[in-house]
């Protein structure tokens, strides 16, 4: 439900990061979204499309990598990728467990098309 | 061309929240972020808490609602400083909104600030406001299956108030299931069964929040 606030923050980051590239258009954005973040990729895409209209990100495609939930048990030291958001070690049933992945809300990179030179990709 | 930007999308909010947190620390204010569904009993719990603690602690409240100042009017009737934030559609409060709300207070006079978030079991969990603790309230009428359906809020909360337990005789609420699920999602969660209507269990909550709040000048 808070996808529009997230899309808005995303657009602000894009504006900041692309300041040195006058006239550039954003063509692709890659995000990493944790399974536990409560963000629906479809809703985020929809909000982004709506809010980016008229900006340099209009029409950009959003690539959303979903990050599974991983927990690390501090008792037995094992790391597990889990389906359910339970803070219990599937191996030793310890509860001294920390979440090490699954709450990501990250922008990873963006591809921009320079106003003059057409699309280029550098890595 | 490709631009590498590894950034938390809500970084701007996290920055403001940590500025708020620093300010609260400097002023010696304990801040609780009260979250829960619409109708769970957030405002009623607040009213009870204010009545119990206002003689010994200096309390202020920020009321977050999408529209109307009804809750703020209820709180202000208890003669404590209250600021209403209308989010105008947004489903949560964020660090910036709370920062704006603080302008309505004399922070040197406050021991305890309770922020009543927008009624919602999902979004407020994602947005830090600079609080010391997140407290969530849920009522037995909402059902015993909520911890697994809305895990993030249960996970980020320090304390869970299960409200309206006076209604248990009329419901098929499975307490064992609810508590089992809640502990699986967050083994450190402190669960308190309460009824704001009968007052049952509220002393536990009053003690919990009182222990965390220091009195100015003492």
């Amino acid at each position: 439900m808070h996808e529009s606030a997230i899309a808005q923050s995303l657009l602000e980051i894009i504006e900041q990061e692309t300041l040195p590239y006058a006239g550039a258009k954003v063509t692709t954005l890659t995000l990493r979204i944790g399974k536990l973040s409560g963000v629906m990729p479809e809703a985020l895409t929809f909000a982004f499309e709506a809010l980016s209209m008229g900006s340099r990100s209009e029409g950009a495609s959003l690539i959303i990598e979903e990050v599974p939930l991983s927990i690390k048990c501090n008792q037995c030291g094992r790391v597990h990728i889990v389906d359910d958001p339970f803070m219990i070690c599937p191996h030793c049933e310890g509860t001294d467990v920390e979440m090490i992945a699954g709450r990501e809300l990250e922008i990873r990179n963006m591809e921009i098309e320079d106003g003059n030179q057409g699309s280029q990709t550098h890595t | 061309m490709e631009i590498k930007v590894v950034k938390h999308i809500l970084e701007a909010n996290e920055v403001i929240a940590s500025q708020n947190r620093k300010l609260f620390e400097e002023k010696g204010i304990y801040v609780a972020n009260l979250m829960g569904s619409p109708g769970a009993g957030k405002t009623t719990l607040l009213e009870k808490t204010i009545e119990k603690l206002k003689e010994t602690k200096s309390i202020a409240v920020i009321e977050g609602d999408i529209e109307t100042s009804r809750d703020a009017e209820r709180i202000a009737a208890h003669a404590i400083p209250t600021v209403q934030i209308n989010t105008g559609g947004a489903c949560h409060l964020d660090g910036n909104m709370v920062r704006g709300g603080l302008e309505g207070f004399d922070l040197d006079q406050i021991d305890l600030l309770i922020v009543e978030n927008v009624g919602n079991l999902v979004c407020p969990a994602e947005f830090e406001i600079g609080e010391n603790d997140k407290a969530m309230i849920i009522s037995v009428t909402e059902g015993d299956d909520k911890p697994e359906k809305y895990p993030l809020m249960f996970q980020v909360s320090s304390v869970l108030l299960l409200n309206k337990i006076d209604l248990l005789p009329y419901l098929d609420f499975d307490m064992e299931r609810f508590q089992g699920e809640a502990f699986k999602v967050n083994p450190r969660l402190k669960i308190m069964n309460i009824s704001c209507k009968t007052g049952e269990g509220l002393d536990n909550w009053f003690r919990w929040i009182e222990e965390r709040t220091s009195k100015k000048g003492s």
Side-chain angles (χ1 to χ4, degrees):
Chain A
M1 284 167 76
H2 49 305
E3 283 83 358
S4 58
I6 290 167
Q8 190 58 47
S9 302
L10 194 53
L11 285 164
E12 283 160 20
I13 292 174
I14 294 168
E15 283 307 314
Q16 253 172 33
E17 297 291 331
T18 53
L19 272 182
Y21 309 95
K25 291 273 292 171
V26 178
T27 54
T28 310
L29 271 175
T30 310
L31 311 180
R32 294 182 82 227
I33 305 288
K35 192 181 167 188
L36 202 73
S37 67
V39 171
M40 278 175 66
E42 300 79 10
L44 181 58
T45 304
F46 179 75
F48 183 81
E49 280 171 8
L51 292 169
S52 64
M53 277 179 199
S55 80
R56 63 172 78 210
S57 306
E58 183 173 342
S61 51
L62 222 51
I63 299 172
I64 299 179
E65 298 169 3
E66 284 191 76
V67 184
L69 192 55
S70 303
I71 58 173
K72 179 174 186 282
C73 175
N74 290 324
Q75 277 161 259
C76 72
R78 283 179 169 77
V79 172
H80 295 274
I81 291 178
V82 291
D83 286 331
D84 295 317
F86 301 151
M87 295 298 107
I88 296 175
C89 176
H91 179 74
C92 74
E93 295 186 352
T95 55
D96 182 7
V97 163
E98 51 184 314
M99 194 187 306
I100 54 173
R103 280 200 64 190
E104 290 77 0
L105 263 184
E106 288 173 1
I107 175 168
R108 298 297 289 196
N109 66 46
M110 53 179 127
E111 215 160 291
I112 61 170
E113 195 178 84
D114 203 304
N116 316 317
Q117 297 164 9
S119 182
Q120 290 181 326
T121 303
H122 299 294
T123 43
Chain B
M1 71 176 152
E2 189 177 302
I3 306 175
K4 291 267 181 221
V5 242
V6 180
K7 266 199 174 171
H8 190 315
I9 298 175
L10 298 178
E11 188 184 74
N13 184 59
E14 310 265 308
V15 168
I16 296 170
S18 61
Q19 288 165 350
N20 288 350
R21 185 167 286 122
K22 193 158 162 266
L23 179 63
F24 296 142
E25 262 169 33
E26 279 167 18
K27 301 287 182 185
I29 304 171
Y30 173 78
V31 182
N33 181 359
L34 181 62
M35 309 179 294
S37 308
K42 293 184 293 301
T43 311
T44 306
L45 177 76
L46 255 176
E47 291 183 287
K48 301 278 179 192
T49 308
I50 292 162
E51 281 312 306
K52 177 70 183 180
L53 300 181
K54 77 173 182 186
E55 300 302 323
T56 55
K57 310 282 187 198
S58 168
I59 307 174
V61 168
I62 290 179
E63 276 293 336
D65 282 292
I66 292 178
E67 295 289 349
T68 84
S69 56
R70 280 176 201 164
D71 286 355
E73 284 157 20
R74 276 172 67 184
I75 298 301
H78 297 266
I80 62 152
T82 309
V83 165
Q84 175 78 52
I85 298 176
N86 281 139
T87 62
C91 47
H92 59 272
L93 291 177
D94 63 24
N96 197 35
M97 296 181 211
V98 169
R99 179 162 74 180
L102 295 178
E103 286 164 15
F105 298 125
D106 178 357
L107 296 179
D108 291 317
Q109 301 301 322
I110 299 173
D111 304 321
L112 168 64
L113 172 65
I114 305 181
V115 179
E116 184 185 332
N117 219 310
V118 179
N120 182 326
L121 265 188
V122 184
C123 315
E126 198 75 76
F127 293 83
E128 295 284 321
I129 57 171
E131 68 276 64
N132 295 89
D133 282 296
K134 293 183 169 73
M136 72 171 289
I137 180 167
I138 189 165
S139 55
V140 291
T141 49
E142 293 168 57
D144 51 28
D145 61 345
K146 293 299 169 288
E148 286 186 31
K149 288 175 90 167
Y150 301 91
L152 187 60
M153 186 158 292
F154 287 83
Q155 221 143 34
V156 297
S157 295
S158 308
V159 61
L160 164 61
L161 298 146
L162 179 63
N163 191 22
K164 308 189 189 177
I165 54 166
D166 51 299
L167 296 177
L168 281 173
Y170 313 103
L171 303 167
D172 296 322
F173 187 90
D174 184 340
M175 186 66 80
E176 214 168 301
R177 175 184 183 190
F178 178 79
Q179 292 191 344
E181 279 195 14
F183 281 127
K184 274 204 274 183
V185 169
N186 181 359
R188 295 180 192 87
L189 191 61
K190 172 104 183 131
I191 302 181
M192 300 176 193
N193 294 347
I194 62 165
S195 165
C196 285
K197 187 158 182 78
T198 67
E200 190 179 347
L202 282 176
D203 281 339
N204 283 333
W205 159 251
F206 296 149
R207 211 175 304 122
W208 190 89
I209 201 149
E210 204 165 16
E211 279 169 4
R212 281 159 179 75
T213 308
S214 52
K215 176 82 190 145
K216 286 257 153 53
S218 64

